[in-house]
């Protein structure tokens, strides 16, 4: 029964196709629709498609069915061209021509699909088999046939000519054919463009024909046709902008023509286009006045395309500097178009890239020319700053309240783009820009005549912050004045308060050099911490101040800790901001004396320790799990930044400012020792919960990274606890922490015994996991490979231990190379890169490579042969390189044995290609990059992709 259904399901007849299409379009059951769609996709690819496609196009059938027939023809021609015998090309061509004629007055969607099929046929036959494809198309549809009226034939021809370049852009032609066909099409514009010009200029041509002509021109313009050949049609398209019916099509055609990369070579034509663009100003102003967003947007696209793509070519025409300046001013008008983005206008954002391009081009000229252009354009850029800050202003409060969340988000992104532009413009305008902003802000805040809207103040601060965030303003003489002005701002609005915070944060490095000014702004930040609406800005600013100015915060430390403690206990902030706040406190405490650190830590941590003790005794449930993870996260983030050692990258004046540290245990170590038993207690209850185990491991991982050698007193306890954790339920986070311990302490004789015991335990347990089947644990395998590589790098003698089964470890590595997860494969390759060079110095390693090295080579070649992702080829090449350097004599024998097997590593490569690859590999022992190139070349041969378009990303 099942077999009969299967046979029936593959019976691709016209009747069955019609039934399936009916099911697809009209059956309400979604499962039936999906089945029908799958079956129809198979039908399109089947050999029977050549029969049923033509039958489905017969008159009388509904357009959906005819469309499917035309689509099937296109798929057969475009994807399976090689299957069509050459003696059938002419028949296929004439059948398609007659079908297009038949549908010229019929269904538009079917006509388009048939045109696409004929276009695909033409592209596959050009230039050898059908050299005059385009003139033939024009001739066929200009010849009276007595059945189709002239207008319908004209529209069918335009449709065919429109889809031809589009089909070329998406075709699967190999690169060398694509180049041939492109140049052939470019020459055919001599036959197509006069026809388009004639149709555009004929006074009796109806609007819809002209619209089709413009779409056709737009399509051809993308083929990279010389701008000189497009000149007359481009001028005609400019004229068409005055006709509302043709406006959109004309805009697309002009933007595509002007934006061709090659267009900049035709400067004389570009110079003729500038007056045409400037001639659109009245239409642009009229559109803005009437609130006609579509028209103003379209005109803006044209002038920006002209300015952005060709600014350098046009700047170099020194005699025409005034007309180009006029174009720049027209773009400035578009940048400052009235209305709030994205609610009343969406045009201004189109212009931002132009200002980058123009500035880059001006600054790339030699000094003499640059000086002349800076005189002309510096005032323009000062005007741009004013315009951008105007556009960055928030609307009135009631209007902003009416915006949707999506509109608010778009506006936020738009302001980020403006911020980036201002930062870039600073390169051209320099310190004068900051003075300019400061003067305006000063006038705003000190003027008693006009009450200032908060939006003006916020926009000027936003400009300042945009620059200060990325540019070193430490030497600016206006920053002290700005810091002095900030407390005078009447902060009565969340957006303004946010910007004040971010501005203070952007000046944190400056404050570190001018600590006397900290007292002016710190109270504002601490006050803002209590406002949930300012959570992100206030916490991130405090973190920056604590990081940059920690050695100057001694007088304020108690206050900062008290306010932070208060907002943390009141749970004002979301989890991520709580974590940032703890990082801020870690930076702050790092600069204090040990006894002060301890007393502050005691104040800060005691409430959480008490809470954790209470939670440890409770029966596990989802809410107390979240509370535990939160507390462990707070401790992790505090310990991540609480670093009392003086690092080189610390503040330059740290050595001067920091008082000598009292020798003794590190405060973090003392705290960890105090809470160790409590963490063990929590773990004993939650040992099977991956998230809690991760949170515990993170505390120690962050602490180890920060404390380094100071962590030593906790090593024995932690090794023991990690062993218990991993024995109960193996997790990647425990292996990662073990790797960290091996990295830092494996070379310390006093700590080596517990580290060695932990390493051997983790290895033994993971090997057992491999025996049970490791596929479900790619993260554990990944971390394990990294641990093995780290052990070989830091303490190779671990591989001499009698308790370590080196052979099993090696075989696990080979197995890991076959995992589908790229990160796991990469880690396995790194392990072998450390393992193979130890062949000579570690006897167990040498023995395993001698016995099982061929397995590694086999897995590597299988990966190259097509079993692994192409992105992994560099890693596989590195293994071959390593084998060649360290085990050459074995490699010669293994390669010969493996490569003589039929179909290995791929049935697509010949014995000659395999021998060639082998010889090249064995010769390459010096240049790793050459080895990688050879492997990439060979993997393409193995996958049957060599010389195809799929190699482009290599």
């Amino acid at each position: 029964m099942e077999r009969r259904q299967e046979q029936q399901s593959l019976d691709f007849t016209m009747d069955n196709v019609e039934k399936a299409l009916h099911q697809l379009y009209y059956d309400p059951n979604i499962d039936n629709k999906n089945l029908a769609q799958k079956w129809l996709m198979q039908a399109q690819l089947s050999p029977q498609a050549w029969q049923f496609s033509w039958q489905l196009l017969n008159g009388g059938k509904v357009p959906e069915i005819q469309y499917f027939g035309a689509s099937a023809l296109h798929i057969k021609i475009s994807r399976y061209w090689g299957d069509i015998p050459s003696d059938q090309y002419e028949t296929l061509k004439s059948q398609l021509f007659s079908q297009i004629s038949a549908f010229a007055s019929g269904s538009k969607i079917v006509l388009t699909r048939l045109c696409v099929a004929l276009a695909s046929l033409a592209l596959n036959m050009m230039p050898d088999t059908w050299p005059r494809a385009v003139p033939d198309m024009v001739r066929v549809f200009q010849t009276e046939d007595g059945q189709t009226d002239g207008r319908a034939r004209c529209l069918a021809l335009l449709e065919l000519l429109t889809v031809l370049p589009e089909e070329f852009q998406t075709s699967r032609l190999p690169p060398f054919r694509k180049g041939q066909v492109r140049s052939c099409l470019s020459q055919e514009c001599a036959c197509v463009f006069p026809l388009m010009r004639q149709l555009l200029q004929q006074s009796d041509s109806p609007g819809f024909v002209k619209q089709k002509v413009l779409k056709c021109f737009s399509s051809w313009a993308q083929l990279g046709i010389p701008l000189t050949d497009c000149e007359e049609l481009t001028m005609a398209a400019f004229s068409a902008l005055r006709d509302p019916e043709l406006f959109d099509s004309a805009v697309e055609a002009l933007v595509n023509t002007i934006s061709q990369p090659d267009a900049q070579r035709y400067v004389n034509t570009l110079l003729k286009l500038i007056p045409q663009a400037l001639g659109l100003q009245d239409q642009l102003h009229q559109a803005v006045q009437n609130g006609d967003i579509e028209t103003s947007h379209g005109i803006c696209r044209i002038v920006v395309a002209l300015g952005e793509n060709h600014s350098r070519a046009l700047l170099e025409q020194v005699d025409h500097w005034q007309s180009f300046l006029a174009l720049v001013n027209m773009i400035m008008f578009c940048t400052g178009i009235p209305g709030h983005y994205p609610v009343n206008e969406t045009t201004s954002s189109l212009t931002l890239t132009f200002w980058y391009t123009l500035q880059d081009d001006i600054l790339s000229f030699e000094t003499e020319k640059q000086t002349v252009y800076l005189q002309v354009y510096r005032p323009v850029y000062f005007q741009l700053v004013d315009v951008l800050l105007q556009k960055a202003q928030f609307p009135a409060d009631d209007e902003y309240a009416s915006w949707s969340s999506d509109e608010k988000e778009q506006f936020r992104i738009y302001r980020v783009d403006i911020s980036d532009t201002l930062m870039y413009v600073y390169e051209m305008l320099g310190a004068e820009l900051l003075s300019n902003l400061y003067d305006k802000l000063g006038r705003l805040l000190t003027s008693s005549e006009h009450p200032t809207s908060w939006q003006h103040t916020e926009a000027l601060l936003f400009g300042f912050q945009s620059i200060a965030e990325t540019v070193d303003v430490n030497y600016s003489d206006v920053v002290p004045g700005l810091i002095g002005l900030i407390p005078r701002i009447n902060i009565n609005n969340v957006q303004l308060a946010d910007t004040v915070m971010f501005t203070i944060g952007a000046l944190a490095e400056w404050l570190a050099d001018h600590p006397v000014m900290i007292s002016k702004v710190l109270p504002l930040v601490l006050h803002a911490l209590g406002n949930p609406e300012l959570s992100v800005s206030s916490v991130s600013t405090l973190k920056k101040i604590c990081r940059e100015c920690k050695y100057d915060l001694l007088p304020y430390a108690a206050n900062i800790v008290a306010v932070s403690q208060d907002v943390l206990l009141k749970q004002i902030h979301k989890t991520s901001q709580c974590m940032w706040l703890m990082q801020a406190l870690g930076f702050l405490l790092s600069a204090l004396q040990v006894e002060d650190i301890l007393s502050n830590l005691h104040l800060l941590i005691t409430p959480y320790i008490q809470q954790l003790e209470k939670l440890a005794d409770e029966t596990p449930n989802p809410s107390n799990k979240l509370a535990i993870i939160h507390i462990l996260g707070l401790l992790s983030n505090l310990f991540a930044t609480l670093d009392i050692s003086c690092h080189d990258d610390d503040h330059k004046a740290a050595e001067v400012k920091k008082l000598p540290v009292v020798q003794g245990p590190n405060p973090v170590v003392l705290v960890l020792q105090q809470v160790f038993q409590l963490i063990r207690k929590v773990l004993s209850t939650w040992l099977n919960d991956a998230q809690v185990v991760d949170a515990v491991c993170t505390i120690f991982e962050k602490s180890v990274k920060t404390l380094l050698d100071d962590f030593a007193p906790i090593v024995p306890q932690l090794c023991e606890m990690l062993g218990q954790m991993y024995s109960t339920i193996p997790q990647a986070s425990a292996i990662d922490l073990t790797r960290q311990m091996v990295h830092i302490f494996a070379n310390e004789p006093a700590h080596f015994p517990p580290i060695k015991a932990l390493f051997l335990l983790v290895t033994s347990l993971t090997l057992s996991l491999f025996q049970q089947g490791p596929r479900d644990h790619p993260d554990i395998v990944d971390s394990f490979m990294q641990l093995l590589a780290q052990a070989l790098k830091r303490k190779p003698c671990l591989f001499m231990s009698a308790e370590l089964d080196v052979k099993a470890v090696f075989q696990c590595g080979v197995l890991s190379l076959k995992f589908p997860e790229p990160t796991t494969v990469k880690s396995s390759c790194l392990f072998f890169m450390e393992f193979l060079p130890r062949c000579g110095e570690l006897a167990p390693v040498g023995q395993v490579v001698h016995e099982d090295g061929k397995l590694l080579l086999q897995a590597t070649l299988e990966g190259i042969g097509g079993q692994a992702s192409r992105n992994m080829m560099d890693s596989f090449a590195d293994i071959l390189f390593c084998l060649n350097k360290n085990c050459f004599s074995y490699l010669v024998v293994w390669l010969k044995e493996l490569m003589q097997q039929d179909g290995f590593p791929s049935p697509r490569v010949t014995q000659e290609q395999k021998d060639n690859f082998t010889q090249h590999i064995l010769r390459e022992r010096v240049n790793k990059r050459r080895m990688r190139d050879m492997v990439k070349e060979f993997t393409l041969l193995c996958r049957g992709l060599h010389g195809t378009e799929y190699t482009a990303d290599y």
Side-chain angles (χ1 to χ4, degrees), residues 10 40 141 158 279 286 359 416 426 460-461 557 581 585 646 652 714 765 801 808 854 888 893 942 944:
L10 295 173
L40 286 164
F141 286 99
L158 286 172
Q286 197 68 48
Q359 179 175 320
V416 169
Y426 179 82
L460 284 166
L461 268 183
L581 195 46
L585 294 171
C646 258
K652 300 178 193 77
I714 302 178
L765 291 167
S801 311
K854 185 176 168 186
F888 180 73
V893 178
C942 290

Side-chain angles (χ1 to χ4, degrees), residues 9 16 69 74 205 310 359 380 396 412 504 510 539 594 613 618 639 675 678 706 748 872 891 897 924:
S9 74
N16 283 346
H74 172 241
S205 281
H310 309 298
Q359 179 175 320
V380 172
R412 186 193 67 76
I504 295 170
W510 185 91
V539 175
V594 171
E613 281 170 342
E618 289 179 12
F639 297 157
V675 298
L678 175 57
T706 311
E748 302 284 331
M872 299 310 304
L891 183 64
E897 290 172 5
E924 195 47 74

Side-chain angles (χ1 to χ4, degrees), residues 687-691 693-694 726 729-736 780:
L687 205 45
N688 291 316
D689 189 289
Q691 287 169 298
V693 171
D694 272 355
Y726 199 71
I729 178 162
Q731 278 185 215
S733 51
I735 304 184
D736 292 336
I780 290 180

Side-chain angles (χ1 to χ4, degrees), residues 184-234:
C184 189
L185 282 173
S186 300
Q187 288 160 16
E188 298 298 9
C189 72
C191 146
V192 176
F193 282 14
L195 171 69
M196 289 198 232
R197 248 191 345 265
Q198 183 191 344
L199 288 168
L200 268 182
Q201 286 160 359
Q202 268 175 358
S203 53
D204 62 339
S205 281
F208 58 86
V209 170
K210 289 183 175 179
Q211 197 175 54
K212 196 79 199 110
V213 170
L214 288 166
K215 282 182 179 166
C216 188
F217 173 40
S218 183
S219 180
W220 280 76
Q222 293 173 72
L223 287 172
I225 291 163
L227 196 56
T228 41
D229 295 349
C230 304
E231 194 175 304
E232 288 183 55
L233 273 172
T234 306

